[in-house]
Amino acid sequence: MFKSMKIYAALAMCVLMPNVAHALQYDIGKFSAKLTGYATGGVINPDFETPLGIGDWRGRTQFTYAVNDDYKIGAVYALDKAALDKGNLSREVFGYLESRELGRVEFGLTDSIARKLGVGLPDVGGLRINDRPLYNEKIIPDGPIIADTTLTSGRSDPRINIVSAPTNGAQYGVSASGFANNYDWAVDAGLKIRRPSGKVKTAYALGMSFMDNPRDFDNEVYTPGVTADWRAQMSMGMNLQYNSWVWGLSGRVIYDNNPVGDISDGFVVGTGVSYDLLRYSVSVTYIMSDTGVWQSDVDDFIDHMGIASFRYKYNENVDVWISGGITSKTPFISAGLRLTF
């Protein structure tokens, strides 16, 4: 098993190493263009039997023009593996107007403000546990799982986000989305409060969402598309940092009114802790999903996920990671190489 893991890691390094570079940025006068991203290659071994290759990547371009000292206009285009897995040609593509004093307005295909202001769980591995986890691509559960504790209402339909500038550590915003194929309209709201100074640093987040008339709306990894009169969501999260320790706690509740067909609502809660020491990082993360809990005529499905991860940062662009744990009653071990630019 470990010999196979070494082979996968070596192959990933050969393929990805030529792409290692610092963030690319071009500035001329009031115009700026920037390219950032990452690529991950590795292996996952469910049940410690047959190693399976995994990969992940994301690229993001941002163009900015400074109108004056206070206002900027710009555009963003991003693409990643998670978007392509759903058949989308962008993760997000939107334009924006930003004021240093007032905040920011975005219009296009992008995440709602509830998700952008959300707080995820600490994790130093490369399995993307806060955004459509990679282990769910290889380990198929026995039932529907809500895998992400941060609220989401999709990013593939036209949306406007309005968010305030941070004031005394607080930032808030609202979103509205329509002209969608599989719902009539959706509104979201988000709030984040940061306390970044002092020996103990904290961040708190609250998100809420309402979607009218969802029709086979699918935004999770292993939950069926929802068809209902309406869907309501709420998420809460907290991160607490003390020196090199970070502790996180977050959860999300989904309720579908008069759902038709398979059940896809319920709740998910998770917690995690990480520790950094020089170039080394470790983390432990736990997530529990309960789907169908609101429906008395069906059996709800409960899934537990636990992961321990280790990361060694070779330099600012290259790090290697290894994770082990269990999800959907299947133990696994995974390792890989991650490059950022």
Side-chain angles (χ1 to χ4, degrees):
M1 177 189 72
F2 290 102
K3 182 178 180 181
S4 299
M5 291 171 60
K6 290 179 181 179
I7 293 174
Y8 273 98
L11 289 173
M13 184 174 293
C14 291
V15 172
L16 296 174
M17 279 297 285
N19 296 323
V20 176
H22 294 281
L24 303 176
Q25 185 163 345
Y26 176 76
D27 299 298
I28 179 170
K30 296 183 177 182
F31 176 80
S32 176
K34 188 175 184 179
L35 172 65
T36 57
Y38 70 83
T40 298
V43 62
I44 187 170
N45 193 334
D47 276 330
F48 310 111
E49 293 180 352
T50 304
L52 305 172
I54 58 172
D56 188 29
W57 55 268
R58 179 179 300 172
R60 186 178 191 271
T61 58
Q62 179 168 325
F63 304 94
T64 304
Y65 178 77
V67 178
N68 52 42
D69 290 341
D70 186 56
Y71 287 94
K72 295 180 179 179
I73 58 174
V76 171
Y77 173 79
L79 180 64
D80 63 6
K81 184 178 182 296
L84 284 182
D85 286 345
K86 289 180 63 65
N88 299 324
L89 296 180
S90 68
R91 176 184 173 89
E92 55 181 357
V93 51
F94 65 91
Y96 66 88
L97 170 64
E98 185 174 281
S99 166
R100 184 181 303 174
E101 298 294 330
L102 300 177
R104 179 169 167 137
V105 178
E106 302 173 345
F107 180 78
L109 311 181
T110 186
D111 283 309
S112 75
I113 204 64
R115 185 172 183 88
K116 290 190 174 187
L117 294 179
V119 171
L121 297 173
D123 175 65
V124 304
L127 294 175
R128 203 175 62 202
I129 69 166
N130 290 303
D131 184 13
R132 299 182 64 86
L134 288 176
Y135 49 76
N136 281 340
E137 294 183 1
K138 305 298 181 180
I139 303 174
I140 300 177
D142 295 329
I145 290 177
I146 305 170
D148 193 340
T149 61
T150 306
L151 187 154
T152 178
S153 55
R155 62 173 68 98
S156 302
D157 303 298
R159 169 176 282 109
I160 183 170
N161 290 336
I162 303 174
V163 59
S164 70
T167 304
N168 297 324
Q171 194 172 15
Y172 53 90
V174 294
S175 298
S177 178
F179 306 102
N181 293 324
N182 45 12
Y183 60 88
D184 289 347
W185 52 269
V187 292
D188 295 60
L191 169 67
K192 177 178 281 187
I193 300 175
R194 297 185 183 93
R195 296 289 181 262
S197 60
K199 197 166 187 178
V200 178
K201 302 174 177 61
T202 57
Y204 305 93
L206 172 67
M208 292 177 288
S209 173
F210 180 88
M211 179 179 292
D212 185 60
N213 194 24
R215 301 176 296 275
D216 196 29
F217 176 77
D218 174 21
N219 205 59
E220 302 294 331
V221 182
Y222 279 118
T223 56
V226 57
T227 298
D229 291 345
W230 48 264
R231 162 170 283 196
Q233 298 184 71
M234 184 174 71
S235 65
M236 299 180 68
M238 179 196 71
N239 274 184
L240 185 152
Q241 180 179 351
Y242 176 76
N243 293 331
S244 296
W245 290 94
V246 177
W247 173 55
L249 179 66
S250 62
R252 173 160 62 121
V253 176
I254 304 174
Y255 177 77
D256 297 329
N257 184 252
N258 294 326
V260 177
D262 295 329
I263 302 302
S264 60
D265 60 357
F267 68 87
V268 57
V269 294
T271 187
V273 61
S274 67
Y275 180 75
D276 294 326
L277 178 63
L278 301 175
R279 295 185 177 186
Y280 303 90
S281 301
V282 295
S283 69
V284 178
T285 308
Y286 168 76
I287 297 177
M288 188 271 281
S289 167
D290 191 338
T291 309
V293 64
W294 318 124
Q295 311 300 323
S296 59
D297 56 340
V298 299
D299 293 331
D300 54 332
F301 179 74
I302 300 176
D303 183 78
H304 301 274
M305 184 282 294
I307 294 179
S309 299
F310 168 82
R311 182 181 66 178
Y312 171 73
K313 192 168 185 178
Y314 179 74
N315 58 36
E316 62 178 319
N317 297 107
V318 182
D319 61 72
V320 293
W321 55 269
I322 182 169
S323 299
I326 185 170
T327 186
S328 304
K329 301 179 182 179
T330 302
F332 68 89
I333 188 167
S334 182
L337 172 74
R338 178 182 170 101
L339 310 173
T340 58
F341 63 91

